[in-house]
Amino acid sequence: MAGTFETVGVVGLGTMGAGIAEVFARAGLAVTGVEADPAALERGRGHLEGSTGRALARGRLTEAERAEIIGRVTFTTSLEDLGDADLVIEAIPEVMDYKRALFTDLDRVCKPSAVLATNTSSLSVTAIAATTTRPGRVIGMHFFNPAPVMKLVEVVRTVTTDEGLADEVAGLARRLGKTPVTVGDRAGFVVNRLLLPYLNHAAALLENGLAGRDDIDAAMKLGVGLPMGPFALLDLIGLDTSYEICEVLFRETRDRRHAPAPVLRELVTAGLLGRKSGQGFHCPEEPQSPSPHEKPSAASIAVLGEDPGGFAAQLSGAGFKIVDVEDAELVVALSSTPVVEQAVRLPHPDRLVGLHLVGDQIAEVASTALTSPETARVAAGLLRILGRTPVPCKDRAEFVVDALLYPYLNDAVRMYESGYASVEDIDTAMKLGCGYPAGPFETLDRLGLATVRDGLRALYAEYREPSFAPAPLLDQLVTAGVRSIRDLSS
């Protein structure tokens, strides 16, 4: 059935739209690209030529292949030129009024059999379809940026979508060399419904002073293995786009975590939108600013709590003396319980920091209200000697990495529990749509369901945020002794 799509229209030739046009042209389809005016049309042509030119320079295309791709795309400023298209997909700004107006025009211009698709990342496909006389032929086809590279396409069906159309469009996505995930019409679909709350939560933690921007980015990139830290990714996506997606999510769910963090609103209002404006959370010319390297002055260290990784032995091997708490110049607590509860029982509470080793590169260093600045500096210095990047933070439940990671995993469990998407589709979506090294359920299996459940309970006790409470399914599986949610779906 997907073979019936041979001529395609793409409306909106910004970076995303031009990338979508390139994807279709690479697959051998005839493409008509439409923009609002000649200047925008030339910019769209430039996006296509620039993208294929980079592929040529990297040896991924030959000169002949590049010429064929560009030759399959016709550029125009007239929607009327889409009259014979089998499929038209829009990639205009994420504003509902603009999209509804466009689909009204497309409904008039396009032949009755044509499929009208929206590349919206969060808006209601149902509401867009309702503006046409053919709601059964309207569908979501959400590509990810950069479209020629990213392998995921979310195919979004509505309650009015014609029977079999989602399968046809999924087949077309496979023809394009993409992996489709077919879902229903909920705000954010799979990827943005899981990704944006995590990014928004990072912004809220930054605003609350839990840790610094660069430290949070380093923690999630080096500690979890994500391609980018949350603030680098927010800048890439665009703070205005992220803000609007959060607004759409909040309007649908009324979940407090989906309400855009105030710092997002402030930056967007100021016109600091990320890479597209030249500045957002980061400035492009601004180097990362890790804490200054200082040689630790403490020669005697005490280690509290379980030490399964042999941290004390590592310190001893690096030349530090391991002593009793009373004699220590620095005390580190390897514990998930509030560090300050241990500090108040010590003779020198100002010498204690909490320590959480994440992977083999990151160490979170938690300071309590009693920890002296000198103690925090010394702890960071000795961690660098051990080859780890220190992430200074406040003494809050689950510190940085787990405070961001566990709610994301919990959201994935809730999504599966609701029946919206399968375990396999959710894992696939997050790996292919975000470039994550593992999907949320693969990560849950690695960490252990009980570990994540208990961490969520600690977060809920600390922040009193309802969405941090473990998903009922997660609680039940731990109680039943089930080790993997993935086992339920096999």
Side-chain angles (χ1 to χ4, degrees):
M1 295 288 288
T4 60
F5 298 112
E6 297 299 336
T7 57
V8 175
V10 179
V11 182
L13 297 175
T15 303
M16 176 58 79
I20 293 171
E22 180 181 337
V23 168
F24 283 114
R26 278 175 175 258
L29 283 75
V31 181
T32 300
V34 184
E35 259 296 357
D37 56 61
L41 195 66
E42 284 308 303
R43 287 194 296 271
R45 190 193 303 272
H47 290 315
L48 177 61
E49 291 175 347
S51 175
T52 54
R54 288 188 293 273
L56 174 65
R58 293 167 183 164
R60 296 173 183 168
L61 286 176
T62 65
E63 283 280 10
E65 289 169 336
R66 183 191 183 211
E68 287 178 2
I69 291 169
I70 295 174
R72 292 189 187 111
V73 182
T74 301
F75 295 89
T76 180
T77 58
S78 175
L79 288 178
E80 305 294 330
D81 291 335
L82 300 175
D84 292 328
D86 299 318
L87 168 74
V88 176
I89 181 168
E90 64 79 18
I92 66 173
E94 196 78 340
V95 178
M96 179 60 85
D97 287 346
Y98 295 172
K99 293 186 187 287
R100 287 169 64 94
L102 173 61
F103 271 71
T104 298
D105 289 339
L106 292 175
D107 189 38
R108 172 184 55 82
V109 167
C110 296
K111 61 187 181 184
S113 62
V115 173
L116 307 182
T118 172
N119 185 57
T120 181
S121 58
S122 62
L123 298 177
S124 169
V125 180
T126 306
I128 293 170
T131 65
T132 74
T133 62
R134 63 179 90 187
R137 305 294 290 169
V138 177
I139 200 163
M141 197 174 186
H142 179 214
F143 289 80
F144 289 78
N145 196 26
V149 175
M150 302 300 284
K151 293 297 184 183
L152 181 69
V153 173
E154 291 177 319
V155 177
V156 186
R157 61 176 181 265
T158 75
V159 293
T160 60
T161 301
D162 286 349
E163 185 71 26
L165 180 60
D167 291 337
E168 289 183 42
V169 173
L172 173 62
R174 294 187 189 95
R175 180 179 166 191
L176 301 175
K178 306 298 184 183
T179 299
V181 169
T182 301
V183 293
D185 186 20
R186 290 189 188 177
F189 316 134
V190 173
V191 172
N192 283 332
R193 200 177 184 93
L194 294 179
L195 177 64
L196 265 297
Y198 151 69
L199 297 177
N200 194 46
H201 186 196
L205 293 183
L206 175 68
E207 193 162 28
N208 292 337
L210 174 70
R213 176 201 67 189
D214 294 344
D215 292 320
I216 295 174
D217 269 357
M220 300 310 290
K221 183 176 180 180
L222 301 179
V224 183
L226 304 185
M228 306 177 77
F231 301 109
L233 182 54
L234 279 163
D235 283 349
L236 176 64
I237 294 171
L239 304 192
D240 52 342
T241 300
S242 301
Y243 181 90
E244 288 301 327
I245 294 173
C246 285
E247 284 279 30
V248 171
L249 288 169
F250 180 71
R251 286 196 295 269
E252 179 177 289
T253 67
R254 297 301 173 183
D255 185 330
R256 217 168 34 182
R257 276 182 66 235
H258 294 159
V263 67
L264 269 181
R265 173 194 51 77
E266 183 180 10
L267 290 170
V268 170
T269 302
L272 306 178
L273 308 180
R275 290 191 185 182
K276 66 177 73 175
S277 69
Q279 184 177 349
F281 282 103
H282 295 271
C283 296
E285 72 283 355
E286 176 187 29
Q288 293 245 320
S289 53
S291 304
H293 290 225
E294 294 184 13
K295 185 176 179 62
S297 59
S300 58
I301 304 168
V303 179
L304 303 179
E306 296 183 4
D307 188 11
F311 183 68
Q314 293 178 42
L315 289 172
S316 180
F320 296 99
K321 183 179 180 181
I322 305 302
V323 298
D324 293 334
V325 171
E326 292 80 5
D327 302 321
E329 298 171 79
L330 172 67
V331 182
V332 296
L334 297 164
S335 172
S336 59
T337 59
V339 181
V340 72
E341 293 180 7
Q342 301 177 66
V344 296
R345 297 195 293 267
L346 300 180
H348 301 287
D350 59 308
R351 299 179 184 176
L352 177 71
V353 294
L355 200 62
H356 179 213
L357 306 180
V358 186
D360 58 3
Q361 297 188 64
I362 288 291
E364 295 175 319
V365 184
S367 296
T368 76
L370 302 174
T371 304
S372 72
E374 176 62 19
T375 294
R377 286 194 293 270
V378 167
L382 73 87
L383 287 165
R384 291 191 185 93
I385 288 176
L386 297 180
R388 286 182 177 268
T389 299
V391 174
C393 63
K394 290 183 178 179
D395 177 25
R396 300 291 184 266
E398 304 304 321
F399 304 154
V400 175
V401 170
D402 291 344
L404 287 173
L405 183 61
Y406 289 175
Y408 153 72
L409 300 176
N410 201 38
D411 286 346
V413 175
R414 291 184 188 277
M415 179 178 286
Y416 167 68
E417 188 176 21
S418 73
Y420 181 65
S422 69
V423 165
E424 293 76 14
D425 280 351
I426 294 170
D427 272 355
T428 296
M430 297 311 293
K431 286 189 290 186
L432 298 185
C434 297
Y436 282 9
F441 296 104
E442 293 170 332
T443 303
L444 271 167
D445 284 358
R446 177 177 59 81
L447 296 175
L449 302 187
T451 297
V452 175
R453 189 276 309 269
D454 293 345
L456 286 164
R457 286 179 172 177
L459 286 168
Y460 178 72
E462 175 104 331
Y463 293 103
R464 295 297 194 268
E465 171 54 58
S467 62
F468 290 169
L473 176 62
L474 182 57
D475 245 338
Q476 293 163 9
L477 292 176
V478 174
T479 301
V482 176
R483 293 181 177 274
S484 172
I485 294 180
R486 295 163 63 85
D487 293 342
L488 301 181
S489 63
S490 59

